Amino acid sequence: MTQPVSSAQQSGPDKGAAPVSVPASPKNDRTPRALGLRVDLRNLSLLGVLVALIVVGGITEPDAFLDTGNLQLILTQASVIGVVTVGMTFVITSGGIDLSVGAMVALASVWATTLATQEYGFAGILFTAMLVGLGAGLVNGMLIAYGRMVPFIATLAMLASARGMALQITDGKTQIVTVKSVLDLGLPDSYVLGIPPLVMMFAAVTVVGWLVLNRTTFGRRTVAVGGNAEAARLAGIDVRRQRLYLYLLSGLCCGIAAFMLIILSGSGQNTNGNLYELDAIAAAIIGGTLLTGGRGTIVGSVLGVLVFTTITNIFALNNLQSDVQQIAKGAIIVAAVLVQRRTSAHGET
C-alpha cells in the first residue's frame, strides 16, 4: 500500500525541515551520470582544442613552436597564472568573484623583494609573499563575509589599493632579486628530467586543489554555498566563515604565484600580475566552472590556462599583434558562456 507523504517530505530541506531519506527515482539515477558525462565531455573538448592548437603551432612555426625550450616556456608561463586560477576556481564555485588577484600578486612580489626582505634569504622571500597574499585575502574575506559587501565591489577596491601600495613600495622602479638560491630555481640546471621547478609547483598546487575540492568536506561546502547559500546555512554550514576561508585561499594562491613570478623574472615590479584577474576568470569559465556558482572543476581550469597560454605563444611566434590575441580570448569566453547556458538549460529540462 502506498505510504502517505509526510509534511517534512513535502516541504523539503529548503523549507528548513529535517532531511528525509527518499529512494531515488530512475530520473534521479540518470541525472548525476548525465552531469558527470557533460563535465567529462567538456574536458575532452578542451583537450581537443589544446591538441588542435599544438597542431596549428607545429604547422605555422614547426621549428620554433615544437622546440623543447619553447614547450618548457609555455608550461612555465602557464604555471604562474595557473596557480592563481586554482584559487579563483574555488571562489567562483562558491558564487563569488575576485578581481584583485593580479594586484595581490604585484603587491606580494614587490613586498617580498625589498632589500629588507631579501636579507632573510629564500625563506624570507617565500614567507613574505605568502603572508602578504594571505593578508590581502583576509581583508577581502572580512569585507565580503562579515562586512556584507558585494564581492565585485570589495575586490575592486582591493585591486586599486594593492596596485597603489605596490607602486608606493617600488616608487615605480624594478626591484632586482640578489638571492642566489631563488634565482637558481629559474635556471635550466634546476630542471628535473627536463621539467622546470615552477611546473612542478603548479602540478602540486593543482593536485592539492583537486583533492580539496572533490574529496573533502571543505570542497563540498564550497559547492553547497555556491549552489544555494540559504540552503547551505539551513544545513548547518557557516556560510560567512566558509567565504572567508575561500578568499584566504585565493590570497594564498596569489602569494605562491608571486613567489613563482619572482623566480621567473628575477625581480619584483608593481606591474606584475597585470590582467591576471581576467585570464584566471576566463580560464575557469571555459574550463567548466559555473560563473553563478555551484559547480567547479580544477582539471577544466588547468586546461583552460593551457589553452590561453598556448594561444598567446602561437600569436607571439607568428608576430601577431596583442589586440588580435585579446579579440580571440574574448570570443572564446563568449562561446564558453553560451555553451554553459545551453548545457544548464538542458540540465534543468
Short mmCIF file of all heavy atoms in Angstrom, two decimals, residues 48-62 65-66 310 314:
data_model
loop_
_atom_site.label_atom_id
_atom_site.label_comp_id
_atom_site.label_asym_id
_atom_site.label_seq_id
_atom_site.Cartn_x
_atom_site.Cartn_y
_atom_site.Cartn_z
N GLY A 48 40.82 18.54 -26.79
CA GLY A 48 40.85 18.55 -28.25
C GLY A 48 41.26 19.90 -28.80
O GLY A 48 42.03 19.98 -29.77
N VAL A 49 40.77 20.98 -28.18
CA VAL A 49 41.17 22.32 -28.60
C VAL A 49 42.67 22.52 -28.40
O VAL A 49 43.36 23.09 -29.26
CB VAL A 49 40.38 23.38 -27.81
CG1 VAL A 49 40.95 24.78 -28.07
CG2 VAL A 49 38.91 23.34 -28.19
N LEU A 50 43.17 22.03 -27.27
CA LEU A 50 44.61 22.17 -26.98
C LEU A 50 45.44 21.41 -28.01
O LEU A 50 46.46 21.92 -28.50
CB LEU A 50 44.89 21.65 -25.57
CG LEU A 50 46.32 21.81 -25.06
CD1 LEU A 50 46.75 23.27 -25.04
CD2 LEU A 50 46.45 21.21 -23.66
N VAL A 51 45.02 20.20 -28.35
CA VAL A 51 45.73 19.41 -29.36
C VAL A 51 45.69 20.13 -30.71
O VAL A 51 46.69 20.19 -31.43
CB VAL A 51 45.11 18.00 -29.48
CG1 VAL A 51 45.69 17.26 -30.67
CG2 VAL A 51 45.34 17.21 -28.20
N ALA A 52 44.53 20.70 -31.05
CA ALA A 52 44.41 21.43 -32.31
C ALA A 52 45.35 22.63 -32.34
O ALA A 52 45.98 22.92 -33.37
CB ALA A 52 42.97 21.89 -32.51
N LEU A 53 45.47 23.32 -31.21
CA LEU A 53 46.39 24.47 -31.14
C LEU A 53 47.84 24.02 -31.32
O LEU A 53 48.64 24.71 -31.98
CB LEU A 53 46.21 25.19 -29.81
CG LEU A 53 44.93 26.01 -29.63
CD1 LEU A 53 44.82 26.51 -28.20
CD2 LEU A 53 44.92 27.18 -30.61
N ILE A 54 48.17 22.88 -30.73
CA ILE A 54 49.53 22.36 -30.88
C ILE A 54 49.82 22.03 -32.34
O ILE A 54 50.91 22.30 -32.86
CB ILE A 54 49.73 21.12 -29.98
CG1 ILE A 54 49.67 21.52 -28.51
CG2 ILE A 54 51.05 20.43 -30.29
CD1 ILE A 54 49.70 20.35 -27.55
N VAL A 55 48.81 21.46 -33.01
CA VAL A 55 48.96 21.16 -34.44
C VAL A 55 49.15 22.44 -35.24
O VAL A 55 50.02 22.53 -36.12
CB VAL A 55 47.73 20.38 -34.96
CG1 VAL A 55 47.79 20.24 -36.47
CG2 VAL A 55 47.67 19.00 -34.30
N VAL A 56 48.35 23.47 -34.93
CA VAL A 56 48.47 24.75 -35.62
C VAL A 56 49.84 25.36 -35.40
O VAL A 56 50.49 25.84 -36.33
CB VAL A 56 47.37 25.72 -35.14
CG1 VAL A 56 47.62 27.14 -35.68
CG2 VAL A 56 46.00 25.24 -35.59
N GLY A 57 50.30 25.31 -34.16
CA GLY A 57 51.62 25.84 -33.85
C GLY A 57 52.71 25.07 -34.57
O GLY A 57 53.69 25.66 -35.06
N GLY A 58 52.54 23.74 -34.63
CA GLY A 58 53.53 22.93 -35.32
C GLY A 58 53.56 23.16 -36.82
O GLY A 58 54.61 23.01 -37.45
N ILE A 59 52.42 23.54 -37.38
CA ILE A 59 52.36 23.79 -38.83
C ILE A 59 52.90 25.18 -39.17
O ILE A 59 53.67 25.35 -40.12
CB ILE A 59 50.91 23.64 -39.34
CG1 ILE A 59 50.47 22.18 -39.22
CG2 ILE A 59 50.79 24.12 -40.77
CD1 ILE A 59 49.02 21.96 -39.57
N THR A 60 52.50 26.19 -38.38
CA THR A 60 52.88 27.56 -38.70
C THR A 60 54.34 27.87 -38.37
O THR A 60 55.02 28.56 -39.11
CB THR A 60 51.97 28.55 -37.95
OG1 THR A 60 52.04 28.28 -36.53
CG2 THR A 60 50.53 28.41 -38.42
N GLU A 61 54.79 27.36 -37.22
CA GLU A 61 56.19 27.58 -36.81
C GLU A 61 56.76 26.29 -36.25
O GLU A 61 56.99 26.16 -35.05
CB GLU A 61 56.26 28.70 -35.76
CG GLU A 61 55.94 30.09 -36.27
CD GLU A 61 57.02 30.64 -37.18
OE1 GLU A 61 58.16 30.16 -37.10
OE2 GLU A 61 56.71 31.55 -37.97
N PRO A 62 57.01 25.30 -37.12
CA PRO A 62 57.40 23.98 -36.62
C PRO A 62 58.70 23.98 -35.83
O PRO A 62 58.81 23.31 -34.80
CB PRO A 62 57.52 23.14 -37.90
CG PRO A 62 57.71 24.15 -39.00
CD PRO A 62 56.95 25.35 -38.58
N PHE A 65 58.01 26.43 -32.47
CA PHE A 65 56.97 26.02 -31.53
C PHE A 65 57.27 24.68 -30.89
O PHE A 65 57.08 24.50 -29.68
CB PHE A 65 55.62 25.97 -32.24
CG PHE A 65 54.48 25.58 -31.33
CD1 PHE A 65 53.89 26.52 -30.51
CD2 PHE A 65 54.00 24.27 -31.30
CE1 PHE A 65 52.85 26.17 -29.66
CE2 PHE A 65 52.96 23.92 -30.46
CZ PHE A 65 52.39 24.87 -29.64
N LEU A 66 57.72 23.71 -31.68
CA LEU A 66 57.96 22.37 -31.15
C LEU A 66 59.31 22.21 -30.49
O LEU A 66 59.65 21.10 -30.04
CB LEU A 66 57.81 21.34 -32.29
CG LEU A 66 56.42 21.27 -32.93
CD1 LEU A 66 56.41 20.26 -34.08
CD2 LEU A 66 55.37 20.90 -31.89
N THR A 310 48.89 28.72 -24.67
CA THR A 310 49.32 28.24 -25.98
C THR A 310 48.93 29.21 -27.08
O THR A 310 49.71 29.47 -28.01
CB THR A 310 48.71 26.85 -26.27
OG1 THR A 310 49.06 25.95 -25.21
CG2 THR A 310 49.24 26.29 -27.58
N ILE A 314 51.54 31.02 -29.63
CA ILE A 314 51.42 30.90 -31.10
C ILE A 314 51.35 32.29 -31.73
O ILE A 314 51.99 32.56 -32.75
CB ILE A 314 50.19 30.06 -31.47
CG1 ILE A 314 50.39 28.60 -31.05
CG2 ILE A 314 49.91 30.14 -32.97
CD1 ILE A 314 49.18 27.73 -31.26
#
